Amino acid sequence: MSPEPARLDVVGVVVLGMITALGGGFVRDVLIDSLPPATLLDWRYYTLAAAGGLIAFALSRHLRRIEAAITVLDAVGLSIFAVIGASKARDAGLGVAPAILLGVITAVGGGTIRDTLVRRIPTVLSSGLYAIPALVGAAVTVTTIETALYGLPAALGAATACFLVRVIGLRFRLDAPEPPDHDHQDGAELGRELVEDGPQLRFAVGQLLVEDRLPGRGQTVAVMRLLADVQAQEDTHCVDADHRAPTCVDACRPPGSGAVLAQPRYADLPPGHGRALHPAGRRSDL
């Protein structure tokens, strides 16, 4: 959860926290006609989810300090949900492939709904190994059920396999395969937009880089180079306060014009800091 970039109030954070925690299981139960969904039959489910959202809201300024712990806990939750989802789908009489699919949906569905609500490309569709570990965990679960080996040790083994794949992907920054020319095409398109839209787009891309939401290391490097190239061409220009066309530096700050001197506007990313520059060159904490 990241309430600050989306500018959510306490209600928004709690609602998104509950959707993230419960959304995947809710969708699974609806699809297998297990109604009412389990999350509505036991008050402890939504109480814990709401409490987690409140804690995230109260500690939002300090969450980056424990980001590693949050990532590990997220991997644990992903593993448990994948195993439970697959086993419940199989118990409902679904075949092998549908049961595995519902295991994945249980694990990643809540986060996908959350990202959609805050108008982001879901993480599961854009970067990192997220759905693949859930797929591994669900597949191991269904395999042990089919071979009559399923039980607590098998469930723990399936969850461990999912957890290890997820952690290894994070440790070595592994991504799912992308189209061969994906980075090049995206870089060219971003270059055209940077020239046309100027400071506003540079600030938006800077935010994405700071929050590590651009898929793939190659694309991130390409974007950083484009930002540097465009900035180099504009170092002797200033920009109007409404961020439209650049004007000559000699015309900067005429009385009442609101023009401001152009400064580097691409993201400044020292280790451990989330800082970028506003379109007008003013520094801001993200």
Side-chain angles (χ1 to χ4, degrees), residues 50-255:
L54 286 173
I55 293 173
F57 180 82
L59 302 179
S60 59
R61 294 186 177 182
H62 308 287
L63 291 180
R64 288 190 179 276
R65 299 179 183 178
I66 56 172
E67 187 173 357
I70 293 174
T71 301
V72 171
L73 291 175
D74 178 71
V76 172
L78 179 79
S79 306
I80 294 173
F81 287 160
V83 172
I84 292 176
S87 62
K88 186 170 183 178
R90 196 70 185 93
D91 291 342
L94 271 66
V96 171
I100 294 174
L101 176 62
L102 282 186
V104 175
I105 290 175
T106 305
V108 306
T112 301
I113 297 172
R114 174 205 61 208
D115 290 346
T116 302
L117 288 175
V118 296
R119 295 183 296 178
R120 296 177 183 166
I121 298 176
T123 302
V124 66
L125 301 179
S126 60
S127 64
L129 295 183
Y130 204 75
I132 292 177
L135 181 65
V136 170
V140 173
T141 300
V142 173
T143 299
T144 58
I145 292 174
E146 290 299 305
T147 55
L149 297 175
Y150 187 73
L152 181 59
L156 291 176
T160 300
C162 176
F163 178 81
L164 289 177
V165 174
R166 174 62 175 156
V167 171
I168 290 172
L170 290 170
R171 174 63 180 84
F172 295 101
R173 298 183 178 274
L174 302 177
D175 292 328
E178 297 177 345
D181 295 329
H182 178 76
D183 287 352
H184 173 74
Q185 292 173 354
D186 285 355
E189 182 179 352
L190 278 172
R192 290 192 297 270
E193 292 180 355
L194 285 168
V195 173
E196 293 172 1
D197 295 340
Q200 289 181 334
L201 183 57
R202 280 195 294 276
F203 177 55
V205 173
Q207 284 184 307
L208 290 173
L209 290 171
V210 171
E211 294 162 15
D212 197 24
R213 278 193 259 127
L214 280 178
R217 288 173 291 173
Q219 184 172 346
T220 301
V221 172
V223 171
M224 289 295 289
R225 288 174 178 170
L226 285 167
L227 293 172
D229 291 343
V230 172
Q231 182 59 42
Q233 297 174 10
E234 295 186 359
D235 278 342
T236 58
H237 292 78
C238 67
V239 96
D240 290 335
D242 60 358
H243 315 308
R244 294 179 181 173
T247 57
C248 178
V249 69
D250 295 333
C252 286
R253 301 189 184 277

